[in-house]
Amino acid sequence: MTQKSQYVLDQIEPLRRKLLNHDLYKYIETPDDLRIFTQYHVFAVWDLMSLLKKLQQQLTNINVPWTPSGKPEFTYLINDIVLSEESDLNSKGEHQSYFEMYLDAMEDLGASTAQIRNFTQQIQHGTDIFLVISASDLPKSVKSFLIFTFNTIHHKHTHDILSAFTFGREELIPDMFTEIIGNIQKQFPDEKIEGLKYYFNRHIEIDADEHGPMAIKLLENLCEKDINKWESVEKTAEAALQKRIELRNSVLRKILNNKAIV
């Protein structure tokens, strides 16, 4: 890891700590709590793939007729991450995207997938993503989270998109999911959460050992010694983490409100 990427990590550490130590995790105590969490979190599982696919468009060559991208290391790193995220092996040994694994895990829990399925169906029909978000009945925090993601995708430079993907997702996920799964395993020793446990543990394993370091390496190669790019990377990373914290705050409020009603 270069000094530049380590500097970004040092600068965003307070936000990382705030997210990793969030009160939400200790309040996931019942099956209802876990179902509420997944119904919010699934949108963060889904939109990650759009960040990744945009990077694949920009850092490799997917045009036909094909010509070499001229940066084979970029191509390798991105395509290797895509391969796992889009078609890893699930707990049954079948190829499946992480998003689809998460949907199956939600259904095992008895969590509703109607909202996310309706959302993605509208996109499959060709409706503009910002219109789908605006017209949906999603919570305000989820809408804000998604708008940030797609504003980054459509209006920011490649290094900013990679920053959101790297520091807001891949580098963060192992530590964040370790906090979540540690609590879940204590509270829910039930076969109904086996799919969710597999999803979390697989992400912890592959992001810590492979995807996180690969994404940082890609970012270092892309930004090199460009100070302006690194400053923009830091700002985007901070904004991405802040949006994630706001989403966690919203989930916590929903869970606490539900507990009060029950």
Side-chain angles (χ1 to χ4, degrees):
M1 186 179 297
T2 67
Q3 289 183 341
K4 295 292 186 184
S5 52
Q6 185 60 58
Y7 176 79
V8 173
L9 281 170
D10 291 343
Q11 293 302 112
I12 65 175
E13 182 60 17
L15 287 172
R16 288 183 83 259
R17 285 291 111 204
K18 189 173 181 180
L19 186 56
L20 295 176
N21 297 325
H22 201 285
D23 284 345
L24 168 66
Y25 311 131
K26 67 184 180 184
Y27 283 103
I28 302 177
E29 302 170 308
T30 69
D32 272 352
D33 300 338
L34 189 55
R35 283 190 280 268
I36 290 170
F37 170 79
T38 60
Q39 287 167 198
Y40 279 73
H41 183 248
V42 68
F43 287 91
V45 176
W46 170 76
D47 78 338
L48 176 144
M49 279 304 301
S50 292
L51 287 165
L52 182 54
K53 283 297 183 179
K54 184 65 174 183
L55 290 169
Q56 191 178 35
Q57 288 177 1
Q58 294 186 341
L59 296 175
T60 74
N61 189 351
I62 59 173
N63 295 323
V64 178
W66 176 86
T67 57
S69 68
K71 293 188 178 294
E73 186 172 22
F74 286 12
T75 299
Y76 170 76
L77 291 172
I78 284 294
N79 284 343
D80 194 67
I81 295 173
V82 170
L83 180 64
S84 295
E85 294 283 350
E86 198 168 26
S87 58
D88 200 5
L89 292 176
N90 64 18
S91 60
K92 299 176 183 177
E94 303 166 338
H95 289 287
Q96 197 175 34
S97 69
Y98 288 132
F99 172 64
E100 291 165 309
M101 288 185 206
Y102 200 84
L103 289 179
D104 287 348
M106 287 179 66
E107 290 176 348
D108 289 344
L109 285 169
S112 174
T113 60
Q115 198 170 42
I116 181 64
R117 290 188 185 279
N118 178 61
F119 188 89
T120 54
Q121 283 174 359
Q122 291 184 61
I123 294 167
Q124 288 173 331
H125 292 157
T127 309
D128 176 79
I129 180 61
F130 292 103
L131 181 59
V132 175
I133 295 170
S134 176
S136 74
D137 60 353
L138 294 175
K140 183 179 178 180
S141 63
V142 176
K143 288 186 177 184
S144 179
F145 185 86
L146 293 174
I147 288 170
F148 170 79
T149 295
F150 286 95
N151 273 333
T152 301
I153 288 170
H154 289 293
H155 303 300
K156 296 292 185 178
H157 295 293
T158 304
H159 54 270
D160 294 314
I161 300 169
L162 186 54
S163 175
F165 179 77
T166 302
F167 296 115
R169 308 302 177 97
E170 299 301 276
E171 188 279 329
L172 175 73
I173 281 174
D175 289 341
M176 184 174 67
F177 281 4
T178 298
E179 292 293 327
I180 296 171
I181 196 64
N183 186 58
I184 288 175
Q185 286 175 323
K186 293 176 185 176
Q187 300 289 346
F188 308 100
D190 191 285
E191 67 276 3
K192 289 185 178 181
I193 67 164
E194 284 305 311
L196 193 63
K197 286 164 62 178
Y198 179 87
Y199 168 87
F200 283 137
N201 285 325
R202 181 61 176 151
H203 253 299
I204 290 167
E205 173 190 0
I206 201 165
D207 286 347
D209 296 339
E210 299 178 33
H211 290 180
M214 289 167 71
I216 288 176
K217 182 178 181 181
L218 187 56
L219 192 61
E220 291 171 346
N221 290 338
L222 187 64
C223 294
E224 296 181 324
K225 296 182 180 181
D226 190 317
I227 295 175
N228 290 330
K229 285 183 178 180
W230 281 111
E231 287 179 350
S232 186
V233 161
E234 181 188 337
K235 289 179 182 178
T236 301
E238 289 173 347
L241 291 173
Q242 187 59 50
K243 286 298 176 183
R244 195 122 198 179
I245 290 168
E246 291 170 7
L247 186 62
R248 287 286 185 272
N249 292 343
S250 182
V251 182
L252 177 58
R253 287 194 296 270
K254 178 68 175 178
I255 287 174
L256 292 178
N257 287 341
N258 187 64
K259 288 178 184 290
I261 292 171
V262 172

